[in-house]
Amino acid sequence: PVSEATDKIVSETKLVEQLESLCIDRVPNNPSQWMQRPLLLVATPNSGMVIRRIRRVADPSYFIAPTEPSDFTNKFIISGKVQLPINNGKEEPRHSLVIDFETPIFAGTCMFRIRDSDTSTSHKNTQPVSTGQNYFAKFNRKFQMVIRGRFLLPDVIMADCVTGMLLDKRLATAG
């Protein structure tokens, strides 16, 4: 058992090193490589962002247990690029996929939900057809983005911070 745990730690360490060295400034040219086509979500190129782990909300955060393996991180590396998971709001409780990430000034966790997005290729065993769960049934919205974490630099004033998204085309969703 100790050897097996050590192997998992070594494997996770190698994965983190691989993620840190990835160049994600190019998106996969072929949409057939997109896990959740027609949607593709990647980190902003050349932003200094490092994806630490992709996991279910119920699994330990990278920042609490950096050596804890994740079943999902490898799944989202396609052709050497990290594709970020999109939830559709119909996942079982605590089964939504989240992203542990770091930038030079912030470290935290992010979750994306887009109404009616196809999660069949990205969420192992979480296709929500009969669960009765539907985050968007309660709200008249098309998407949700939740970020939590901490600033790594002192004296950052949240009131001075701005967030947003830059989309190449209009986000078309059903409903």
Side-chain angles (χ1 to χ4, degrees):
V2 172
S3 174
E4 190 174 305
T6 303
D7 289 344
K8 284 183 179 181
I9 290 170
V10 169
S11 175
E12 182 72 277
T13 302
K14 287 180 182 176
L15 177 60
V16 168
E17 289 170 357
Q18 177 188 5
L19 290 172
E20 288 174 338
S21 68
L22 285 175
C23 176
I24 58 171
D25 60 348
R26 301 175 316 249
V27 297
N29 293 340
N30 187 346
S32 68
Q33 294 179 322
W34 298 1
M35 297 245 347
Q36 295 180 270
R37 57 190 162 271
L39 301 173
L40 174 66
L41 183 64
V42 296
T44 302
N46 303 315
S47 65
M49 180 182 288
V50 176
I51 305 302
R52 296 293 187 184
R53 180 177 294 150
I54 296 172
R55 61 182 174 84
R56 290 184 198 264
V57 124
D59 296 337
S61 166
Y62 171 84
F63 303 104
I64 294 171
T67 57
E68 184 77 24
S70 169
D71 293 336
F72 292 97
T73 304
N74 278 332
K75 187 174 186 177
F76 282 90
I77 300 173
I78 309 293
S79 300
K81 296 161 190 78
V82 179
Q83 299 182 35
L84 304 178
I86 302 168
N87 299 285
N88 64 12
K90 297 178 181 177
E91 299 79 24
E92 290 283 348
R94 302 178 47 83
H95 282 235
S96 296
L97 294 180
V98 297
I99 305 132
D100 295 331
F101 70 96
E102 267 185 88
T103 71
I105 62 169
F106 187 84
T109 301
C110 182
M111 179 188 65
F112 295 95
R113 285 182 175 142
I114 298 179
R115 180 189 294 246
D116 298 325
S117 60
D118 181 8
T119 61
S120 59
T121 58
S122 61
H123 289 58
K124 184 169 68 175
N125 300 325
T126 60
Q127 192 57 16
V129 177
S130 62
T131 66
Q133 302 293 320
N134 190 345
Y135 168 82
F136 289 107
K138 303 176 274 194
F139 304 104
N140 185 22
R141 28 182 102 133
K142 302 286 186 194
F143 75 96
Q144 176 193 36
M145 178 173 57
V146 179
I147 301 172
R148 73 176 190 185
R150 64 183 179 87
F151 288 100
L152 303 175
L153 299 177
D155 303 324
V156 175
I157 299 168
M158 188 61 204
D160 294 337
C161 296
V162 178
T163 64
M165 296 182 351
L166 177 61
L167 303 172
D168 290 335
K169 296 181 181 177
R170 182 177 178 270
L171 180 63
T173 61

